[in-house]
Amino acid sequence: MPGASAAPDQSPSSPAPLQAALHGLCPRCGARTLYVGWIKFADRCTNCGLDLTTFNVGDGPAAFLTLIIGAIVMIGAVTLTLTLAPPIWVHLLIWTPLTAIGVVGALRISKGGLISLEYRNRASEGRIKKPDA
């Protein structure tokens, strides 16, 4: 059966989605094998063999996080400007690294959480149901 490797087990060793997201845990076995890089997913869990390439997180988290963190950074920058009026280089020194760290860190957590939720809820691509003739 195709996709059988992605069928969720109802085992107690499966981590909660938030736990999997925060620690990079495999949604099936709970091993720390979800990522091979900072935000790059592994192709397969080396512990239980779960095929992680069948999950599709997409670019949604990146777009939302960029907008949300961008709004927070802008509020901080405007507040700093109105209270202390520092030179522009101070803004660049403060807000550029905070933005990059915030987006990449939150992206890792949100993508891990989405993969865990896709696994738990057995999410798959939508299919059109043909009417009975």
Side-chain angles (χ1 to χ4, degrees), residues 34-126:
L34 190 60
Y35 294 101
V36 292
W38 190 221
I39 56 173
K40 184 179 183 324
F41 291 117
D43 291 335
R44 185 172 293 282
C45 174
T46 55
N47 192 41
C48 68
L50 177 65
D51 184 11
L52 297 169
T53 61
T54 60
F55 300 103
N56 182 16
V57 175
D59 293 332
F64 282 113
L65 290 172
T66 301
L67 290 172
I68 292 167
I69 293 173
I72 293 169
V73 165
M74 285 307 302
I75 291 168
V78 168
T79 303
L80 183 64
T81 298
L82 294 175
T83 56
L84 301 176
I88 191 71
W89 65 266
V90 173
H91 283 289
L92 292 173
L93 190 67
I94 294 171
W95 303 115
T96 303
L98 281 178
T99 303
I101 291 167
V103 169
V104 172
L107 189 60
R108 179 179 168 93
I109 293 169
S110 64
K111 287 176 74 175
L114 284 174
I115 277 210
S116 181
L117 288 171
E118 280 186 24
Y119 174 79
R120 186 184 75 180
N121 297 321
R122 297 181 183 156
S124 61
E125 289 187 28

